[in-house]
Amino acid sequence: MTETFGAEYWRAHWAEAGHGAPPPHPALDTEVTDLAPGTALDAGSGEGAEARWLAAHGWTVTAVDLAARAAGPTGTTPLDDAITWIEADLTTWEPPDPFALVTTFYAHPTIGQLAFYERIARWVAPGGTLLIVGHAHDGEHAHDGGHARGHAHPDGATADIEGVRALLAAPAWTIETAEYRDRTLADRHGRAVPLRDVVVRARRSAR
């Protein structure tokens, strides 16, 4: 990856996307509701939909993004009391403590997807959970902060299940979910756009 997905790109993207709040990703309902709330990191939080979902469900959230649109006075809601918004580069930023849950949704890191997943996996506390949602490597469409667009992503912005499985190997990790999931979103013009996601949930060994 290059600076294509740098801070300036995302600032321009959020400005173009408008001010409507996107819905949180449905994988939160299927993969997180059975977990006991604790500390959570939303790595690549974007407009903050997933961070706010976590806060609404009892999690204490750190939301980090290279150009977080949700941070600051214009993004304030009652849920923000449970969220710490940080604008930082996740390829260099380091948390002071591990988290019970680390999530990432459609991150576009400059270091490549698997290197990024390996990095954020280190921030999961023993016994904690890592939830990865990415653009499927064979997908032709994109989810962009809740605004679907019909363009392909470069390989560096996509993920495949086997690559993630190899990264999160036993005995350090237990894979609890590893699926491709298809869904449909409406783009800004109301047109239905099919999406194909990689969804992986893994639990880190307690030892």
Side-chain angles (χ1 to χ4, degrees), residues 74-94:
T74 59
T76 300
T77 75
L79 294 178
D80 286 59
D81 289 341
I83 306 172
T84 299
W85 302 101
I86 298 175
E87 188 165 304
D89 184 345
L90 284 158
T91 67
T92 57
W93 178 80
E94 292 283 347

Side-chain angles (χ1 to χ4, degrees), residues 5-15 17-19 22 41-52 61-76 80 83-90 93 105 145:
F5 295 112
E8 292 307 314
Y9 169 89
W10 289 112
R11 291 189 184 100
H13 171 76
W14 299 139
H19 299 286
L41 170 68
D42 186 12
S45 54
E47 294 177 286
E50 286 74 32
R52 291 194 172 98
V61 184
T62 299
V64 183
D65 195 275
L66 186 63
R69 177 183 168 189
T74 59
T76 300
D80 286 59
I83 306 172
T84 299
W85 302 101
I86 298 175
E87 188 165 304
D89 184 345
L90 284 158
W93 178 80
F105 295 84

Side-chain angles (χ1 to χ4, degrees), residues 1-5 108-113 154-158:
M1 294 293 288
T2 67
E3 285 303 308
T4 300
F5 295 112
H108 292 67
T110 56
I111 60 174
Q113 296 300 106
D155 287 348
T158 60

Side-chain angles (χ1 to χ4, degrees), residues 124-142:
V124 179
T129 297
L130 174 65
L131 175 61
I132 292 170
V133 177
H135 302 291
H137 181 73
D138 60 346
E140 296 180 353
H141 301 284

Side-chain angles (χ1 to χ4, degrees), residues 101-169:
L101 171 67
V102 173
T103 66
T104 186
F105 295 84
Y106 306 113
H108 292 67
T110 56
I111 60 174
Q113 296 300 106
L114 289 179
F116 177 71
Y117 297 153
E118 182 177 28
R119 179 172 173 77
I120 67 173
R122 300 201 304 262
W123 304 337
V124 179
T129 297
L130 174 65
L131 175 61
I132 292 170
V133 177
H135 302 291
H137 181 73
D138 60 346
E140 296 180 353
H141 301 284
H143 166 97
D144 289 310
H147 298 272
R149 295 180 174 186
H151 68 270
H153 277 279
D155 287 348
T158 60
D160 69 273
I161 285 178
E162 292 311 310
V164 178
R165 276 186 175 277
L167 181 69
L168 304 175

